[in-house]
Short mmCIF file of all heavy atoms in Angstrom, two decimals:
data_model
loop_
_atom_site.label_atom_id
_atom_site.label_comp_id
_atom_site.label_asym_id
_atom_site.label_seq_id
_atom_site.Cartn_x
_atom_site.Cartn_y
_atom_site.Cartn_z
N LEU A 72 8.70 31.79 -75.25
CA LEU A 72 9.18 33.14 -75.79
C LEU A 72 8.16 34.18 -75.36
O LEU A 72 8.56 35.33 -75.10
CB LEU A 72 9.24 32.99 -77.38
CG LEU A 72 10.29 32.21 -77.98
CD1 LEU A 72 10.19 32.19 -79.44
CD2 LEU A 72 11.77 32.78 -77.55
N ARG A 75 7.65 33.43 -69.90
CA ARG A 75 8.38 32.32 -69.21
C ARG A 75 7.66 32.04 -67.91
O ARG A 75 7.64 30.86 -67.52
CB ARG A 75 9.81 32.85 -68.85
CG ARG A 75 10.70 33.05 -70.19
CD ARG A 75 12.17 33.19 -69.84
NE ARG A 75 12.71 32.02 -69.15
CZ ARG A 75 13.19 30.97 -69.77
NH1 ARG A 75 13.11 30.96 -71.08
NH2 ARG A 75 13.65 29.86 -69.13
N LYS A 116 -5.88 46.49 -88.74
CA LYS A 116 -5.91 45.94 -87.37
C LYS A 116 -7.37 45.56 -87.04
O LYS A 116 -7.62 44.43 -86.56
CB LYS A 116 -5.50 46.92 -86.38
CG LYS A 116 -5.51 46.35 -84.91
CD LYS A 116 -5.03 47.37 -83.91
CE LYS A 116 -3.53 47.68 -84.07
NZ LYS A 116 -3.08 48.47 -82.94
N ARG A 121 -11.42 41.16 -85.49
CA ARG A 121 -12.68 40.70 -85.67
C ARG A 121 -12.82 39.23 -86.27
O ARG A 121 -13.67 38.36 -85.99
CB ARG A 121 -13.72 41.57 -86.32
CG ARG A 121 -13.91 42.96 -85.64
CD ARG A 121 -15.03 43.72 -86.24
NE ARG A 121 -15.10 45.10 -85.68
CZ ARG A 121 -15.60 45.48 -84.46
NH1 ARG A 121 -16.07 44.50 -83.76
NH2 ARG A 121 -15.54 46.74 -84.10
N GLU A 136 3.50 40.53 -90.86
CA GLU A 136 3.58 42.06 -91.06
C GLU A 136 3.65 42.84 -89.79
O GLU A 136 3.50 44.01 -89.68
CB GLU A 136 2.34 42.36 -91.93
CG GLU A 136 2.27 41.89 -93.22
CD GLU A 136 1.00 42.30 -94.05
OE1 GLU A 136 0.56 43.41 -93.89
OE2 GLU A 136 0.49 41.40 -94.82
N PRO A 139 8.78 45.25 -86.55
CA PRO A 139 10.03 44.46 -86.20
C PRO A 139 10.42 44.49 -84.72
O PRO A 139 11.05 43.52 -84.25
CB PRO A 139 11.23 45.25 -87.00
CG PRO A 139 10.52 46.62 -87.18
CD PRO A 139 9.04 46.42 -87.33
N LEU A 146 5.42 34.54 -82.69
CA LEU A 146 4.24 33.69 -82.53
C LEU A 146 3.29 33.75 -83.71
O LEU A 146 2.88 32.70 -84.20
CB LEU A 146 3.42 34.25 -81.30
CG LEU A 146 2.08 33.64 -81.01
CD1 LEU A 146 2.10 32.17 -80.85
CD2 LEU A 146 1.34 34.34 -79.84
N ALA A 186 -11.74 56.38 -81.45
CA ALA A 186 -10.73 57.42 -81.41
C ALA A 186 -10.43 58.06 -80.03
O ALA A 186 -9.38 58.41 -79.67
CB ALA A 186 -11.15 58.50 -82.49
N THR A 222 -11.94 19.58 -63.24
CA THR A 222 -10.90 20.02 -62.24
C THR A 222 -11.34 21.25 -61.37
O THR A 222 -10.59 21.78 -60.62
CB THR A 222 -9.61 20.33 -62.91
OG1 THR A 222 -9.81 21.43 -63.89
CG2 THR A 222 -9.02 19.15 -63.73
N ILE A 310 -11.49 25.21 -56.92
CA ILE A 310 -10.61 24.43 -57.68
C ILE A 310 -10.39 23.12 -57.03
O ILE A 310 -10.04 23.03 -55.83
CB ILE A 310 -9.24 25.09 -57.95
CG1 ILE A 310 -9.48 26.41 -58.64
CG2 ILE A 310 -8.37 24.22 -58.78
CD1 ILE A 310 -10.13 26.37 -59.95
N GLU A 331 1.36 45.49 -53.29
CA GLU A 331 1.97 46.05 -52.15
C GLU A 331 3.30 46.87 -52.58
O GLU A 331 3.72 47.79 -51.88
CB GLU A 331 2.40 44.87 -51.20
CG GLU A 331 3.02 45.33 -49.91
CD GLU A 331 4.42 45.43 -49.91
OE1 GLU A 331 5.08 44.75 -50.75
OE2 GLU A 331 4.99 46.25 -49.14
N THR A 407 -9.03 32.18 -36.86
CA THR A 407 -7.67 32.19 -36.23
C THR A 407 -7.79 31.56 -34.75
O THR A 407 -8.81 31.80 -34.10
CB THR A 407 -7.23 33.63 -35.96
OG1 THR A 407 -7.17 34.30 -37.28
CG2 THR A 407 -5.85 33.66 -35.34
N LEU A 413 -8.41 30.59 -26.41
CA LEU A 413 -8.72 29.19 -26.09
C LEU A 413 -8.59 28.90 -24.67
O LEU A 413 -9.39 28.06 -24.09
CB LEU A 413 -7.76 28.32 -26.89
CG LEU A 413 -7.92 28.20 -28.45
CD1 LEU A 413 -6.77 27.49 -29.11
CD2 LEU A 413 -9.18 27.58 -28.81
N MET A 450 -43.86 -2.24 -1.62
CA MET A 450 -43.79 -3.50 -0.74
C MET A 450 -44.91 -3.39 0.33
O MET A 450 -45.56 -4.40 0.76
CB MET A 450 -42.50 -3.66 -0.24
CG MET A 450 -41.42 -3.94 -1.22
SD MET A 450 -39.75 -4.01 -0.58
CE MET A 450 -39.87 -5.48 0.50
N LYS A 467 -51.93 0.18 21.60
CA LYS A 467 -51.18 -0.40 22.73
C LYS A 467 -51.84 -1.50 23.35
O LYS A 467 -51.22 -2.50 23.66
CB LYS A 467 -51.02 0.68 23.83
CG LYS A 467 -50.17 1.87 23.47
CD LYS A 467 -49.91 2.88 24.53
CE LYS A 467 -49.01 4.00 24.12
NZ LYS A 467 -48.91 4.96 25.25
#
Side-chain angles (χ1 to χ4, degrees):
L72 291 174
R75 295 189 64 84
K116 180 183 292 188
R121 295 194 190 280
E136 299 175 37
L146 170 59
T222 58
I310 302 299
E331 186 273 331
T407 304
L413 288 175
M450 294 177 66
K467 293 182 179 180

